[in-house]
Structures are given as C-alpha cells and as structure tokens.
Amino acid sequence: RVSREVPNLKGKTLSQAKNILSNLNLNINVSGSSGTVVTQDPMAGTLVEEGTIINVTLNKQNKDAH
C-alpha cells in the first residue's frame, strides 16, 4: 500500500479540495453545504494509506460580519 501525506485543505473550496485529494488517491467526506474548508481530519501532514477518507467541514466565512 502507498502512503500519502494529507494536504492542508483549509481555505480551499470544495472543488479544489476534491481535485487535490483525487490526485493523491484519497477520498473526501464533506460536512456543510458551501464555503471553504475550515476543519479537516486527519490533519495536514498526517501519513495515511491511499483510499483513506479525509473528513472536511465547509463554512462560509463572512469577514464583514459585525
């Protein structure tokens, strides 16, 4: 089995995250409906086997909120 280093997906869009993980033969499990990745598990830098599911949470960042 081939080990892969989990990439840092924070701040990426869902399509960006999917493309990155697809290129590494990793799978994605998404929570949230829109926005960018705010959390991921396993964390970036973790070594995992190909086919591992990376759990990400999407959230809209509203920087203008008062």
Side-chain angles (χ1 to χ4, degrees):
R1 283 228 171 213
V2 179
S3 289
R4 297 290 187 194
E5 186 175 322
V6 177
N8 183 5
L9 301 171
K10 287 185 182 170
K12 304 280 194 238
T13 65
L14 178 55
S15 61
Q16 287 172 325
K18 280 183 174 175
N19 285 338
I20 292 165
L21 293 178
S22 174
N23 289 336
L24 295 170
N25 290 324
L26 297 173
N27 296 310
I28 191 168
N29 178 49
V30 182
S31 301
S33 56
S34 63
T36 56
V37 176
V38 290
T39 63
Q40 68 180 76
D41 177 43
M43 295 188 328
T46 306
L47 283 179
V48 296
E49 288 186 350
E50 283 191 346
T52 296
I53 295 171
I54 311 300
N55 297 292
V56 300
T57 302
L58 297 177
N59 196 5
K60 274 194 173 149
Q61 305 281 31
N62 186 351
K63 296 189 169 93
D64 308 312
H66 293 293

